[in-house]
Amino acid sequence: MTDEYKEALLEKQNYHEGCPGCKVEQMKQQRRGYPYLELSFVWIIVLSTSLPISSLYPFLYYMIEDFGVAKTEKDIGFYAGFVGCSFMLGRALTSVFWGIVADRYGRKPIILLGTISIAIFNALFGLSLNFWMAIGTRFLLGSFNCLLGTMKAYASEIFRDEYQATAMSAVSTAWGIGLIIGPALGGFLAQPADKYPNVFSQESIFGRFRYALPCFTISAFALVVTVLCCFIPETLHNHKQDRTSHDDSYEILEAASRDSAASAGKAEKDERKGSQGSLLKNWPLMSSIIVYCVLCLHDTAYSEIFALWANSPRKYGGLSYSTNDVGTVLAISGLGLFSFQVFVYPLAERLLGPVLVTRFAGALMIPIQMSYPFIASLSGLSLSLMLNCASILINVLSVSAITGLLILQNKAVDQSQRGAANGIAMTAMSLFKTVGPAGAGILFSWSERRVDAAFLPGSHMVFFVLNVIVVVGVALTFKPFLTTGRR
């Protein structure tokens, strides 16, 4: 059989008319050049889902104070942790379910559901009247926040093989940028009637609901993204088993090639049989998920602790920063993260590989976090300069470490299991991130009660615990614990 007949046969076997996933595969093969359009879609969708996650941190300290549930100033961090973790608890309970639904019904419906839920529940959080309403709306926001796991699968499917590192970098970068821009928006737009009295009066809705403006802004962006998502292609393959539209030439080619393709088909079948097994027994997947969860625990705990530490009074080792000051630092960090992930990370990943990037990034975070308590003793320009440099580096290194693990996870499974695999990753990560804010709030509240301790006083203890988590994460990247797939 000639090479032309073989190619025609393969094309006929692999392409199923009416299957959206096959249409995307054809589009990927036909298009050449850098995938700017695909990158744009991934960016805005992931950005919309990450913005509300940490947008509350700059004003959460003051929101808890306004609710009046904390008896003393030292108790604010304790209650803030429960509001922060309610989102992750909701996401942990539903991530596997949404992953399975995405594998069965497609990525696009889940993406649309996620963006709509952000618009609704994040706006309701901004209208919270008390502590329990804040927890309830954040829990519902997390329960329907089904986008990250689905988008990881979607990005790996819509990009060609040579751009897989770019795909995962786009997901993690947009995620990281959202986790920084979100708090920046929260810092600049919270309490608008107090900050911008010429624009917002105390009698307006933003005067009564002091934290509604940043939430409404993010919800409006999610609505715009929802409209744009109506035009994205579906990437899930949906092949019908019984087909009657094969032409005669294809039947002849199939019969002629049956014997010659038998050995190749058997090998492929054996390979797929292994890949379709239980995801929980897929150690390359599960080991990368565990390391991913540990580093995500650090990322969430750091985000909450940084905001609480910056807002807290100097007598407790903090910076006495306003929400605007915190927003400025995080906006600068977002710009630095964007530049690094777009221009530097893909090159670093090609040169070193995802595992080495994760190890180096984790190791470099340790000395930088140790410096934070000493930065608090500075003032003026030196404080701003050192704090911004440290914040940029921590955010860049944290996102870089997580990106490498995302690449390993998607390489460890076939397309038909990526939704469920990412659902498992999201569930496990959300459980860790549920512990993160609650634990960080309790730890921070405790540290403010021991500012005069002989061993690791005040904020020294907080950043020491963060470094312990990083050390554990880096240690788990070595064999025999972490293994990589062959796909």
Side-chain angles (χ1 to χ4, degrees), residues 47 54 173 176 183 193 243 299-300 393 424 456 461 471 478:
L47 185 64
S54 56
T173 304
R243 293 188 51 83
D299 185 59
T300 305
L393 289 173
I424 292 174
L456 296 175
M461 174 60 74
V471 169
F478 290 90

Side-chain angles (χ1 to χ4, degrees), residues 177 180 330-342 392 396:
I177 294 292
I180 295 172
L330 295 175
I332 294 172
S333 298
L335 180 62
L337 176 60
F338 173 81
S339 302
F340 179 86
Q341 290 292 109
V342 171
I392 290 172
V396 163

